[in-house]
Amino acid sequence: MSAGVIAFVLLLAVAAYACAGGTDYGAGFWDLTAGGAERGKRPRWLIDHAMAPVWEVNNVWLVFVLVILWTGFPVAFQTLFTAMWLPLALAALGMVLRGAGFALRKPTRRLARRRIYGAVFALASLLTPFFLGTAVGGIASGRVTPGTDASADAWSNPTSLLFGLLTVAATAFLGAVFLTADAVRFDVPDLASYFRRRALGGLVVVAVLAAVTLAVTHGDAPHVWRGLTHGAGLALALVSAVFLIATGLLLLRGRARWARLGAVGVVAAAVVAWGVAQRPYLIPPSLTVADAAGDPATLTWLAWVSLVALLLIGPAVALLYWLDTHGELEPLTDADLQRGRPAPEDTTDDD
């Protein structure tokens, strides 16, 4: 089995996690910026309902990424987790804290504890994509090579920091677009306008950061810059830009449901463009896909496992997403939004 095929499967899995997990991280970003308890009550209640059915299943894509990288490209796995263990460890810690905060804040009856869990969830939703983005930037900038020791320079350079900021902006954009569609589906026009404005603002920030990041890669990550400005990498980058413009027009025309597809297209095309721009390297410019690949027999079995997963798990996940985006899993009433919580609660601050 060709190592290039498995590398492409890995890239698609990364794109899937960027879109699915990124939407959840973006919802957490807007939870963080929603304001105080009274002002942010209704946006946060919509965020809870929008995330609840799917936030756990989105991590399936991350597990798939780690399995493919670990078994299919063990040299790359060792190199990345040795050189950038700190940002990756912080991202992993953020995932754990984020999940715990989201799961515990909803059933908690005491206001003080709910605020703590909510703050943990929101802050982790900001920091986790940032550190994942810095790790990607470290790969793109060529500062990681086999045998590289852990160093702050591997993930705190200009390319890494801009990739981190761009990742946060992209997740915020995705989250706002999906929340706009959720507000429309729940027939809450004021929240639809609330998140539409934030989606359009996120779109502008993504466009600006993408342009700045591309300019910085010219000198700081020349191999990736050349890949993004020539051939297939350039074509995919242009596709991402077209999706970005289309998403903005759909939002302005009130077509929030179609805008979700556009937002996913923006992120998916951008991730694939980055992967294609790195060819033939898995870690440019020192470790090619062929050199990083494991045993051919392992790659063959990994291909079969990926195919089985696609046939068995793929339809189930697709059905779950369809049910969620069509409001078949957890209905939300206007009365819910007005009171903010479905049942009376104890709001005392003492234990």
Side-chain angles (χ1 to χ4, degrees), residues 127-155:
L127 296 177
T128 300
F130 174 76
F131 285 118
L132 289 175
T134 60
V136 172
I139 296 171
S141 67
R143 288 175 168 84
V144 178
T145 60
T148 300
D149 294 328
S151 170
D153 181 61
W155 59 277

Side-chain angles (χ1 to χ4, degrees), residues 9-10 23-24 29 44 65 68 75 78 89 93 99 142 145 179 196 203-204 237 252 262 271 298 302 304 320:
V9 173
L10 174 62
T23 302
D24 278 354
F29 178 91
R44 290 191 178 103
V65 168
I68 294 177
V75 177
Q78 179 186 14
L93 178 62
T145 60
L179 288 168
R196 183 181 295 112
L203 184 151
V204 173
L252 290 172
V271 171
T298 300
L302 193 57
W304 282 110
L320 178 63

Side-chain angles (χ1 to χ4, degrees), residues 27-272:
F29 178 91
W30 298 118
D31 188 289
L32 178 65
T33 59
E38 189 61 31
R39 178 185 173 189
K41 179 170 60 177
R42 296 178 75 245
R44 290 191 178 103
W45 187 228
L46 177 63
I47 289 168
D48 280 351
H49 273 265
M51 285 185 56
V54 296
W55 71 276
E56 290 180 286
V57 77
N58 288 334
N59 289 319
V60 168
W61 302 112
L62 178 60
V63 173
F64 195 43
V65 168
L66 293 175
V67 169
I68 294 177
L69 184 61
W70 181 18
T71 57
F73 304 97
V75 177
F77 184 90
Q78 179 186 14
T79 300
L80 295 177
F81 279 80
T82 298
M84 291 189 289
W85 70 269
L86 182 56
L88 292 175
L90 291 173
L93 178 62
M95 293 175 196
V96 173
L97 293 177
R98 178 178 179 276
F102 182 75
L104 293 174
R105 79 167 177 178
K106 191 171 183 178
T108 300
R109 302 180 66 85
R110 297 191 182 277
L111 180 60
R113 292 183 182 177
R114 194 165 66 242
R115 284 175 173 170
I116 292 173
Y117 292 139
V120 169
F121 159 70
L123 287 171
S125 296
L126 173 66
L127 296 177
T128 300
F130 174 76
F131 285 118
L132 289 175
T134 60
V136 172
I139 296 171
S141 67
R143 288 175 168 84
V144 178
T145 60
T148 300
D149 294 328
S151 170
D153 181 61
W155 59 277
S156 62
N157 54 81
T159 299
S160 290
L161 295 178
L162 281 169
F163 265 68
L165 293 175
L166 181 58
T167 302
V168 172
T171 60
F173 165 64
L174 273 171
V177 171
F178 272 72
L179 288 168
T180 301
D182 287 325
V184 171
R185 173 163 53 90
F186 292 131
D187 194 22
V188 192
D190 62 319
L191 285 181
S193 297
Y194 175 92
F195 283 112
R196 183 181 295 112
R197 291 193 299 271
R198 283 151 179 78
L200 290 170
L203 184 151
V204 173
V205 173
V206 167
V208 171
L209 282 175
V212 173
T213 302
L214 182 62
V216 170
T217 59
H218 181 272
D220 201 49
H223 181 82
V224 170
W225 177 84
R226 178 170 178 79
L228 288 173
T229 54
H230 295 80
L234 174 60
L236 287 164
L238 292 175
V239 169
S240 181
V242 170
F243 272 120
L244 192 70
I245 296 170
T247 303
L249 294 175
L250 289 168
L251 287 170
L252 290 172
R253 295 184 177 184
R255 304 294 182 89
R257 294 182 179 180
W258 286 103
R260 290 182 305 200
L261 297 178
V264 169
V266 172
V267 175
V271 171
V272 177

